[in-house]
Amino acid sequence: MRGNAMLEIVIDYDERMNSLDLEDFEHLETLMEDVLPRGARAVLLRGEGRSFCTGRNLKGMRPDEDILASVTLINRVLLAWRALPVPTVAAVQGQCLGAGVGLALLADLTIVASDARIASPFAQLGAVADCGFHAVVTERLGEAVTKDMILTGRALSGQELADRGLVARSVDGDVAGAAREIAATLAEGPTLAFAASLDLVDGVVDGDTVEVSIGREALAQDAASRTHDYAAGLRAFLERTSPRFVGR
């Protein structure tokens, strides 16, 4: 835990391009379960070294492995990451492949190095892209680009990803430092209001109409008005001071 409220999770297997064994995914699942008990109000996920994450460590696969069970575990981690009720930030550098794409793009904010490379290499394996690739990339980039990436293995740079709106922003230089600064700021914000807004955005993505969304917004705003942070924010605004949020 960094500071009082930001949890920083680091993938550090540079010798294997930060690919993950199933045991690593189990550990990530435990970390997701511990986010709230540890009092985290924002989470930063990053990779150490040359890559963010290149997905499953294929050298750790067994010929007789139950693939459905393995993918189910990985998907459970990805969905837990997406569902965390605090802001999540991914700092992406170097190669980002397979399950790494899911971990990167299912964060609330994805900050990428301008020269990072995101790709789907599954065609080379005779396998199907998974870990949310079809849904997330098609939703943000459209059918044509998604099919191109899947069928030809085309990689997109961090700069291109930002220009196309697939990620929040790209940066030159220290992507981990930039993402850490953002996550630290979010950790000091109104956690419950953030959670409500993120849920509302997900609702729109999942098909909420304007009429449904504004109704849900009203209920969320009513709930927020009864929190400590709402009172602190309003008081600071009226007094022209900086609010001090505590996450409740």
Side-chain angles (χ1 to χ4, degrees):
M1 185 85 72
R2 286 184 172 269
N4 295 321
M6 189 188 81
L7 177 66
E8 182 167 336
I9 300 173
V10 182
I11 302 171
D12 190 4
Y13 300 109
D14 190 39
E15 72 282 357
R16 61 186 200 224
M17 301 292 285
N18 283 342
S19 60
L20 301 174
D21 293 327
L22 291 182
E23 292 78 8
D24 299 317
F25 284 106
E26 291 173 347
H27 182 53
L28 278 175
E29 185 174 31
T30 299
L31 289 174
M32 302 303 168
E33 294 170 350
D34 286 347
V35 164
L36 292 185
R38 294 177 67 172
R41 291 168 54 197
V43 183
L44 169 64
L45 176 65
R46 67 176 183 87
E48 187 70 33
R50 297 167 293 169
S51 299
F52 169 67
C53 176
T54 54
R56 172 79 188 276
N57 181 15
L58 299 185
K59 292 183 179 179
M61 293 184 68
R62 305 185 311 274
D64 61 343
E65 183 174 305
D66 185 340
I67 293 298
L68 183 57
S70 301
V71 174
T72 298
L73 165 63
I74 296 170
N75 286 347
R76 202 163 62 231
V77 173
L78 294 173
L79 293 175
W81 174 234
R82 181 177 184 266
L84 284 177
V86 297
T88 56
V89 181
V92 179
Q93 86 286 359
Q95 297 292 318
C96 181
L97 309 172
V101 177
L103 289 169
L105 299 186
L106 291 175
D108 295 316
L109 292 179
T110 307
I111 314 299
V112 300
S114 57
D115 60 353
R117 307 287 285 179
I118 288 185
S120 172
F122 289 89
Q124 299 176 23
L125 303 173
V128 177
D130 54 12
C131 301
F133 189 93
H134 293 83
V136 177
V137 180
T138 302
E139 173 189 285
R140 301 186 196 180
L141 295 186
E143 175 185 354
V145 174
T146 305
K147 286 181 176 179
D148 187 10
M149 293 182 72
I150 290 172
L151 297 178
T152 70
R154 174 189 174 191
L156 298 182
S157 71
Q159 184 63 59
E160 187 172 7
L161 291 168
D163 291 344
R164 290 176 173 271
L166 184 62
V167 299
R169 65 187 80 171
S170 67
V171 297
D172 296 322
D174 184 10
V175 65
R180 185 179 297 112
E181 183 176 347
I182 292 170
T185 300
L186 295 175
E188 296 177 352
T191 308
L192 298 178
F194 282 161
S197 286
L198 293 172
D199 185 57
L200 285 161
V201 172
D202 286 341
V204 173
V205 170
D206 292 338
D208 283 355
T209 63
V210 172
E211 292 79 7
V212 170
S213 187
I214 62 174
R216 293 186 63 208
E217 284 174 342
L219 295 174
Q221 190 72 288
D222 180 60
S225 71
R226 294 190 290 275
T227 66
H228 175 282
D229 285 346
Y230 180 93
L234 182 59
R235 182 170 58 253
F237 176 80
L238 295 174
E239 297 173 355
R240 297 184 179 181
T241 59
S242 298
R244 182 180 181 279
F245 299 121
V246 296
R248 55 183 173 82

